[in-house]
Amino acid sequence: MRLITFSYNDRTRIGELVGDTIYALAWVDSNVRQMIRRGVTPSRSYERFALKDVKIEAPINPGKIVAIGKNYAEHAAETGSKPPESPAIFAKFPSTVIATNEPITWRTSITNEVDYEGELAVVIGKTARDVKEEDALNYVYGYTIANDVSARDLQLKIDIQWTRGKSLDTFCPIGPVIVTADEVPDPQNLMLTTTVNGEVRQHASTADMVFGVRHLIAYCSRSFTLEPGDVIITGTPSGVALGMKPQVYLKDGDVVSITIDGIGELTNPCKVLPE
Ligand code: MG
């Protein structure tokens, strides 16, 4: 199922997207995280909507966003480092989340080095603690796309740790839909492409991850509980602005688009805010 959260006439709903038609689900709440936690799969209601008539919302409000750094060898190399020997885990605040088509925003008094990171995002479906790698995919509800937007100056020069630079408001676009795990038999066989203003910047297969989804879930679950509705963003391939010579960071009016085959396209304009 392609699960979509959308607004129509200011009411937020959950639906199943089939082609360009949304079949609203018979769910009293609009909260996908609650729906996943309760383990229910609602049936379709009688209502349907055309995709063009609705506003697409973020497909989930994650409990926590677990992020993986330097999980593609070529990306580690472009940042001047080697891939880590075990997953490099950091966090993004859940308040960073925005939907497709919503603007990524910042003030130039805060950052002048805003970068994109196209990533496969894993939505956890069941409480996972001490999970074995061979069982790990059974804990996945589905997959979506994330942009791990990063203020490189905060991350690498000013704060010298990553929390703020990765957690400015609007710095985690996700969506447009969650594709349930049954429709993604192998998360390590997906092509990811990121464009900025139509120019291809990142193009790689998730087969190139240093640590795959199974390992990441098992590894994380040994240290902390993964809960239904948590999201793991699995790292970005090479091609970020940080690795370019010269570095071409995002600017007002740019449009970043991330496509993962079989999942969809996440597109966000960039907007510099007044001081
Ligand atoms: Mg990242």
Side-chain angles (χ1 to χ4, degrees):
M1 184 191 344
R2 305 173 71 76
L3 194 70
I4 187 168
T5 301
F6 65 99
S7 297
Y8 183 81
N9 281 346
D10 291 329
R11 185 180 164 201
T12 301
R13 306 281 297 271
I14 300 171
E16 180 181 352
L17 180 64
V18 179
D20 290 331
T21 301
I22 299 169
Y23 296 86
L25 297 185
W27 178 249
V28 292
D29 203 334
S30 63
N31 187 323
V32 168
R33 182 150 57 102
Q34 289 293 345
M35 195 188 89
I36 295 173
R37 181 173 298 171
R38 293 190 203 173
V40 292
T41 305
S43 54
R44 292 178 184 178
S45 74
Y46 64 91
E47 290 179 285
R48 67 175 71 173
F49 301 85
L51 184 60
K52 66 177 174 50
D53 293 339
V54 307
K55 178 186 181 300
I56 302 173
E57 303 287 353
I60 191 162
N61 294 307
K64 54 184 173 287
I65 303 172
V66 179
I68 311 298
K70 299 175 185 169
N71 199 27
Y72 289 76
E74 284 184 21
H75 171 63
E78 73 178 344
T79 68
S81 42
K82 292 180 178 164
E85 298 194 348
S86 55
I89 295 171
F90 63 97
K92 284 171 87 83
F93 297 153
S95 51
T96 55
V97 166
I98 59 171
T100 192
N101 299 325
E102 291 181 338
I104 300 163
T105 63
W106 65 91
R107 290 194 175 95
T108 54
S109 60
I110 300 293
T111 175
N112 287 286
E113 295 185 357
V114 177
D115 207 345
Y116 48 85
E117 294 190 352
E119 308 198 8
L120 175 67
V122 179
V123 180
I124 297 297
K126 290 190 296 186
T127 302
R129 175 72 186 164
D130 293 334
V131 168
K132 293 196 184 83
E133 199 167 319
E134 56 265 37
D135 298 331
L137 293 188
N138 296 329
Y139 292 80
V140 176
Y141 180 80
Y143 299 90
T144 186
I145 305 168
N147 188 347
D148 177 16
V149 183
S150 306
R152 300 300 187 197
D153 40 6
L154 302 187
Q155 182 189 359
L156 303 171
K157 298 173 195 164
I158 297 172
D159 292 14
I160 325 291
Q161 55 101 317
W162 298 13
T163 308
R164 185 168 66 123
K166 294 280 193 175
S167 290
L168 299 186
D169 286 352
T170 74
F171 270 28
C172 196
I174 62 173
V177 298
I178 297 171
V179 179
T180 50
D182 57 305
E183 296 189 13
V184 184
D186 183 3
Q188 308 310 143
N189 186 27
L190 301 170
M191 284 307 296
L192 181 155
T193 305
T194 303
T195 64
V196 178
N197 305 329
E199 175 191 313
V200 174
R201 297 284 183 87
Q202 300 185 289
H203 185 64
S205 169
T206 56
D208 296 340
M209 284 184 197
V210 178
F211 303 104
V213 173
R214 288 172 193 271
H215 185 80
L216 293 174
I217 292 170
Y219 183 86
C220 289
S221 81
R222 292 283 291 168
S223 297
F224 51 87
T225 303
L226 293 167
E227 297 169 303
D230 286 351
V231 170
I232 301 176
I233 61 172
T234 55
T236 201
S238 63
V240 298
L242 175 65
M244 296 171 72
K245 291 186 180 60
Q247 293 159 338
V248 184
Y249 288 110
L250 295 171
K251 61 184 189 305
D252 186 82
D254 282 351
V255 176
V256 187
S257 219
I258 304 164
T259 305
I260 298 181
D261 292 348
I263 298 180
E265 181 176 321
L266 173 69
T267 298
N268 299 89
C270 297
K271 185 171 174 51
V272 170
L273 298 175
E275 294 300 326

